[in-house]
Amino acid sequence: MATALALVMAVAYLWIMSQETDQPVAWFLVALILGAVAAGYGTNPGAPHRGAALLLAGLVLAATGVLAILSIGFPILVAGTLCLFAAARSARHGS
């Protein structure tokens, strides 16, 4: 869910920036993609370092969500929160 949400928001960000005839900020887009990739990796229960990947995804997505809270940030913040809860649950279960 978090992976799909982050990818949808990356596409939405690109669409919004093109509608405003503005250039997207590269580091923001890279952060969204990195968060989505790390969240996607973390969906595999047997993946080594799953908890670390989910923690990374959660922190990156939560930070970008806070930075963009006045426009597209809320769904990104939700995706980050989902990843942080999954990381905590993964750590609790020893995955």
Side-chain angles (χ1 to χ4, degrees):
M1 178 73 172
T3 304
L5 194 52
L7 289 174
V8 165
M9 293 314 297
V11 171
Y13 173 66
L14 289 173
W15 182 77
I16 290 168
M17 295 307 281
S18 72
Q19 293 299 312
E20 295 180 356
T21 62
D22 203 356
Q23 292 292 326
V25 180
W27 65 264
F28 187 80
L29 190 58
V30 168
L32 281 176
I33 300 300
L34 174 68
V37 168
Y41 178 81
T43 60
N44 181 2
H49 309 294
R50 175 179 185 238
L54 287 169
L55 181 62
L56 172 70
L59 292 174
V60 167
L61 291 172
T64 55
V66 168
L67 289 173
I69 196 68
L70 295 177
S71 58
I72 64 168
F74 184 71
I76 300 168
L77 189 57
V78 169
T81 304
L82 288 171
C83 288
L84 290 173
F85 279 125
R89 187 172 176 191
S90 176
R92 192 173 335 133
H93 293 289
S95 298

